[in-house]
């Protein structure tokens, strides 16, 4: 299946905290509302100096699904229910915030110790009204647990959540969501 690209949006830099700027693609001045997307942003190569503080800041989330595509290095994630994980490159945490979930993330302990850069892409989608008051949860889609999809030479795609063809990955909390991550080698389709 081939599709044509209808729009290319230039993201704009946005400061999300004092030392952290992201390239935000949605919302966009040309597309202020693109239902069900709330936010699509790219944290480009944030540099962590050796010996840096944890950087964990808790924030409340409610009423959306967030999928994070961890592109480079590792991030430490913890929520108020006590669940925690280190998310490495090609792992993809998935959050169903429903009622409300307090969580935070920052550089992993090993990244803080040795220093380096990390990069991620986050997508937030509005939950349907029927799911707004459901119990929140975090799930971690580790690279090795993600089933391969659309397999062919030079194409390495994995199912992060939902169902695609015969493959099934993490539950999407009853919301019809499919997220696929991976890469395509140069010159391949």
């Amino acid at each position: 299946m081939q599709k044509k690209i209808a729009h290319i949006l230039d993201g704009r830099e946005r400061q999300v905290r004092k030392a952290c700027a992201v390239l935000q693609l949605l919302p966009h001045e040309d597309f202020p509302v693109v239902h069900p997307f709330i936010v699509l942003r790219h944290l480009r190569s944030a540099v962590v100096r050796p010996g840096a503080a944890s950087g964990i800041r808790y924030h409340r989330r409610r009423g959306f699904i967030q999928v994070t595509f961890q592109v480079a290095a590792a991030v430490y994630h913890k929520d108020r229910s006590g669940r925690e994980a280190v998310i490495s490159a090609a792992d993809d945490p998935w959050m169903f915030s429903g009622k409300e979930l307090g969580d935070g993330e920052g550089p992993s302990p090993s990244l803080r110790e040795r220093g380096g850069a990390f990069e991620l892409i986050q997508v937030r989608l509005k939950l349907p009204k029927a799911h707004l008051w459901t119990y929140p949860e975090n799930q971690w889609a580790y690279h090795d647990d993600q089933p391969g999809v659309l397999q062919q030479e030079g194409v390495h795609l994995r199912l992060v959540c939902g169902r695609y063809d015969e493959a099934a990955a993490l539950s999407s909390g009853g919301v019809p969501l499919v997220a696929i991550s991976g890469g395509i080698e140069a010159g391949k389709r």
Side-chain angles (χ1 to χ4, degrees):
M1 168 176 39
Q2 290 188 353
K3 293 187 175 188
K4 293 183 180 182
I5 296 173
H7 302 282
I8 295 177
L9 301 175
D10 290 325
R12 68 187 192 286
E13 193 163 287
R14 180 169 183 258
Q15 208 68 32
V16 290
R17 43 176 112 144
K18 188 176 179 182
C20 183
V22 298
L23 184 64
Q24 186 158 306
L25 295 123
L26 291 174
H28 190 277
E29 61 188 19
D30 294 339
F31 291 93
V33 177
V34 183
H35 187 73
F37 288 90
I38 297 173
V39 171
L40 172 58
R41 62 174 120 186
H42 180 196
L43 174 62
R44 302 174 289 174
S45 296
V47 176
V48 177
R49 294 198 167 111
S54 76
I56 298 285
R57 285 186 37 204
Y58 284 98
H59 35 270
R60 294 179 177 182
R61 305 196 185 272
R62 185 174 70 130
F64 61 84
I65 292 173
Q66 176 174 288
V67 180
T68 301
F69 299 95
Q70 189 66 36
V71 178
V75 170
Y76 173 71
H77 186 276
K78 184 174 184 175
D79 66 38
R80 294 281 187 186
S81 70
R83 290 189 48 153
E84 59 186 325
V86 172
I87 309 300
S88 298
D91 294 338
D92 302 300
W94 176 91
M95 179 194 337
F96 181 80
S97 63
K99 193 188 306 195
E100 183 175 295
L101 181 66
D103 77 334
E105 61 274 320
S108 68
S110 63
L111 183 59
R112 290 192 326 263
E113 183 179 310
R114 72 176 192 288
F118 69 94
E119 181 178 1
L120 57 85
I121 296 170
Q122 287 187 329
V123 180
R124 292 183 188 162
L125 303 164
K126 183 176 177 160
L127 282 173
K129 201 172 194 177
H131 296 278
L132 287 179
W133 295 102
T134 55
Y135 189 78
E137 65 176 317
N138 271 312
Q139 297 184 56
W140 289 277
Y142 295 105
H143 177 271
D144 293 342
D145 298 332
Q146 299 171 11
V149 294
L150 301 169
Q151 298 299 302
Q152 55 187 312
E153 185 183 340
V155 177
H156 312 283
L157 300 177
R158 304 172 317 278
L159 185 62
V160 176
C161 69
R163 296 184 155 285
Y164 186 86
D165 286 339
E166 300 298 315
L170 292 175
S171 160
S172 56
V175 177
L177 172 66
V178 174
I180 296 174
S181 181
I184 301 173
E185 294 174 12
K188 301 295 180 180
R189 302 164 132 219

